[in-house]
Amino acid sequence: MMSKMRFVMTAFFLIMAFLALGPHKADAAGNVMAWGWNGKGQLGNASNTDAHAPVSAAGIVNVTAIAASNEHTVGLKSDGTVWAWGRGQEGQLGNGMYVNNNTPVQVLGLANATAVAAGLYHSAALSNDGTVWTWGRNWNGQLGDGSYNSSNVPVQVSGLTNATAVAAGENHTVALASDGTVWAWGYNSVGQLGNGTASDSLFPSQVSGLTNVTAVASGPYHTFAIKADGTLWAWGYNNRGQLGDGTTNNSSVPVQVLGLVNVAAAAGGWDHSVALKADGTVWTWGANWYGEHCDGTNAASSSPVQVLGLANVAAVAAGVYHTAFLNADGTVYACGWNRYGQLGNGTTTDSMTPVQATGIATGIAIGAGYNHTLAIAPDVTPPAVTASPLGGLYNTAQSVTLSANETSTIYYTTDGTTPTTASAVYSTPIAIGVTTTLKCFGVDAAGNASAVVTHLYTIIPAVAAGTNHTVALRSDGTLWAWGANGSGQIGDGTNINRTATPVQIGTGTDWSQAAAGIYHTVALKSDGTLWAWGYNGDGALGDGTGINRYAPVQVGTDANWSQVA
């Protein structure tokens, strides 16, 4: 079964980038650079086009840590908020939705995170109070909340209150406790939970026989722990020798990786592994299909071999079939498979020795996904931009009044600062459905900011498409629709198709959001009430009946709705 899974490449890997040497401090922050496969928007640059050299993720700065999986990426900002981008259909972006996003969106409800991890279709974060929070798919109990219920917002892992680190495999999660013990939960078919069994666990289960652990990491089906004495231990799947114990036998309890001492960090690919020693050397083992060992060969090994040409490495990461390294001088190197440009050197040519990623000279941290790679580079202030945040896409009850000597252009920034000149002002895109605090202000004749007003803004979908009808929200709060109307989905009180021009839905000017189903429409008003109309044979309108509605009917009586889909 496992070989079939690898053949069809339904795999993921997780990396954790440990900042072990030199000037790369854990509290350093920057912007995210990414390259490689981008089919689900996992590069975060507002596109779905692969990149063979680093591109900048859009609208996210002050990032301190990153984690990546098959098709999504998770970032931690210095303010403790967590952001995600890429595939979101299983809820792994944590923003309350089940849709993909090719730019970063904020994970809901997390404000004090200190670490992040990414599984195949789930994500995890560590809070500064020692609790662990997870979200996404939960078919194997990888969320650790005692259920099989998936979630598109974070849920707390049961029973963990003293965690200090977190990592994620394909369908399992692992945490390090402050007492040096290791706990794991989720899928356990090949012993990746390390508790001596092959049974899945819905709750954290202690890894057998491990104490004095200082760090954890994971591949898709194998897991690592670094002990205080610098030894490295591994357990789980071992078909290609990825446990590094000199065998290809799976192990449901930890086994020591041969010959490695003074280990500072580890990472797991699909069926290979990598470790960084405190002296800056790097060692790899397991499968070596495309040169991911970086030793100049494609020979597999069940015990560690040294990476060629790198002796001052600060962090490591492992993709499915590639390996990445951050040098202490801030440069980034990679080797292995390069079909999607995941090595970042501007080509799609595989390499059995490390090649340098272009355009990154001062990296702070690295990460690796299925077939994409990431680095955190120091923040670069974006150029000054102008915007009009009072347009129809922005939902706010406040307004800005400019004095006579101010321009009508409003600048805005999301970092909470109030720059003194227009040249210092920048804009960071706000994610759809995510509320962001903005400071808006005009600029006087001398270019100085004034009339500062703080707003809470949420970008909302201004247009939505059903199967054969479309609905659009105008900046004046009116709602319009056109197209097929056989079930009343246009909402104009008739079932007459409207194919010539848009028709207004009622006379209200207080609409704030709208979404379109196949044959029905749902919308919010600015007072927080929820309305629906159109086909209702399956109860889609939520009004307690099965009767089609040709005009909006209110859903319940509550007035605190905030999002529709």
Side-chain angles (χ1 to χ4, degrees), residues 527-529 557-562:
D527 63 2
T529 56
T557 59
D558 290 340
N560 58 351
W561 299 99
S562 62

PDB file of all heavy atoms in Angstrom, residues 527-529 557-562:
ATOM      1  N   ASP A 527     -26.771  45.269   9.089  1.00  0.00           N
ATOM      2  CA  ASP A 527     -27.228  45.118  10.470  1.00  0.00           C
ATOM      3  C   ASP A 527     -27.002  43.723  11.017  1.00  0.00           C
ATOM      4  O   ASP A 527     -27.431  43.407  12.123  1.00  0.00           O
ATOM      5  CB  ASP A 527     -28.713  45.501  10.596  1.00  0.00           C
ATOM      6  CG  ASP A 527     -29.629  44.591   9.765  1.00  0.00           C
ATOM      7  OD1 ASP A 527     -29.117  43.656   9.125  1.00  0.00           O
ATOM      8  OD2 ASP A 527     -30.847  44.839   9.769  1.00  0.00           O
ATOM      9  N   GLY A 528     -26.329  42.856  10.224  1.00  0.00           N
ATOM     10  CA  GLY A 528     -25.997  41.514  10.674  1.00  0.00           C
ATOM     11  C   GLY A 528     -27.080  40.485  10.452  1.00  0.00           C
ATOM     12  O   GLY A 528     -26.940  39.343  10.890  1.00  0.00           O
ATOM     13  N   THR A 529     -28.175  40.848   9.772  1.00  0.00           N
ATOM     14  CA  THR A 529     -29.215  39.873   9.473  1.00  0.00           C
ATOM     15  C   THR A 529     -28.861  39.091   8.212  1.00  0.00           C
ATOM     16  O   THR A 529     -28.133  39.576   7.338  1.00  0.00           O
ATOM     17  CB  THR A 529     -30.585  40.549   9.291  1.00  0.00           C
ATOM     18  OG1 THR A 529     -30.483  41.551   8.267  1.00  0.00           O
ATOM     19  CG2 THR A 529     -31.027  41.204  10.606  1.00  0.00           C
ATOM     20  N   THR A 557     -33.859  34.911  13.220  1.00  0.00           N
ATOM     21  CA  THR A 557     -34.047  36.277  13.725  1.00  0.00           C
ATOM     22  C   THR A 557     -32.750  36.890  14.238  1.00  0.00           C
ATOM     23  O   THR A 557     -32.737  38.037  14.684  1.00  0.00           O
ATOM     24  CB  THR A 557     -35.085  36.289  14.859  1.00  0.00           C
ATOM     25  OG1 THR A 557     -34.642  35.431  15.919  1.00  0.00           O
ATOM     26  CG2 THR A 557     -36.449  35.825  14.363  1.00  0.00           C
ATOM     27  N   ASP A 558     -31.667  36.135  14.188  1.00  0.00           N
ATOM     28  CA  ASP A 558     -30.401  36.643  14.716  1.00  0.00           C
ATOM     29  C   ASP A 558     -29.895  37.807  13.873  1.00  0.00           C
ATOM     30  O   ASP A 558     -30.164  37.898  12.668  1.00  0.00           O
ATOM     31  CB  ASP A 558     -29.339  35.546  14.740  1.00  0.00           C
ATOM     32  CG  ASP A 558     -29.627  34.486  15.784  1.00  0.00           C
ATOM     33  OD1 ASP A 558     -30.402  34.788  16.713  1.00  0.00           O
ATOM     34  OD2 ASP A 558     -29.082  33.375  15.664  1.00  0.00           O
ATOM     35  N   ALA A 559     -29.122  38.680  14.511  1.00  0.00           N
ATOM     36  CA  ALA A 559     -28.548  39.841  13.819  1.00  0.00           C
ATOM     37  C   ALA A 559     -27.056  39.922  14.063  1.00  0.00           C
ATOM     38  O   ALA A 559     -26.481  41.002  14.164  1.00  0.00           O
ATOM     39  CB  ALA A 559     -29.239  41.116  14.284  1.00  0.00           C
ATOM     40  N   ASN A 560     -26.419  38.765  14.131  1.00  0.00           N
ATOM     41  CA  ASN A 560     -24.975  38.764  14.372  1.00  0.00           C
ATOM     42  C   ASN A 560     -24.237  37.862  13.381  1.00  0.00           C
ATOM     43  O   ASN A 560     -23.192  37.313  13.690  1.00  0.00           O
ATOM     44  CB  ASN A 560     -24.664  38.334  15.804  1.00  0.00           C
ATOM     45  CG  ASN A 560     -25.208  36.956  16.149  1.00  0.00           C
ATOM     46  OD1 ASN A 560     -25.967  36.374  15.371  1.00  0.00           O
ATOM     47  ND2 ASN A 560     -24.835  36.439  17.311  1.00  0.00           N
ATOM     48  N   TRP A 561     -24.795  37.699  12.178  1.00  0.00           N
ATOM     49  CA  TRP A 561     -24.114  36.934  11.144  1.00  0.00           C
ATOM     50  C   TRP A 561     -22.945  37.758  10.592  1.00  0.00           C
ATOM     51  O   TRP A 561     -23.029  38.980  10.513  1.00  0.00           O
ATOM     52  CB  TRP A 561     -25.072  36.587  10.012  1.00  0.00           C
ATOM     53  CG  TRP A 561     -26.231  35.742  10.451  1.00  0.00           C
ATOM     54  CD1 TRP A 561     -27.496  36.164  10.743  1.00  0.00           C
ATOM     55  CD2 TRP A 561     -26.238  34.334  10.656  1.00  0.00           C
ATOM     56  NE1 TRP A 561     -28.291  35.109  11.117  1.00  0.00           N
ATOM     57  CE2 TRP A 561     -27.538  33.967  11.070  1.00  0.00           C
ATOM     58  CE3 TRP A 561     -25.267  33.332  10.531  1.00  0.00           C
ATOM     59  CZ2 TRP A 561     -27.894  32.647  11.361  1.00  0.00           C
ATOM     60  CZ3 TRP A 561     -25.620  32.028  10.810  1.00  0.00           C
ATOM     61  CH2 TRP A 561     -26.910  31.693  11.229  1.00  0.00           C
ATOM     62  N   SER A 562     -21.856  37.079  10.204  1.00  0.00           N
ATOM     63  CA  SER A 562     -20.679  37.816   9.737  1.00  0.00           C
ATOM     64  C   SER A 562     -20.128  37.336   8.406  1.00  0.00           C
ATOM     65  O   SER A 562     -19.325  38.026   7.791  1.00  0.00           O
ATOM     66  CB  SER A 562     -19.556  37.747  10.784  1.00  0.00           C
ATOM     67  OG  SER A 562     -19.155  36.400  10.981  1.00  0.00           O
TER      68      SER A 562
END
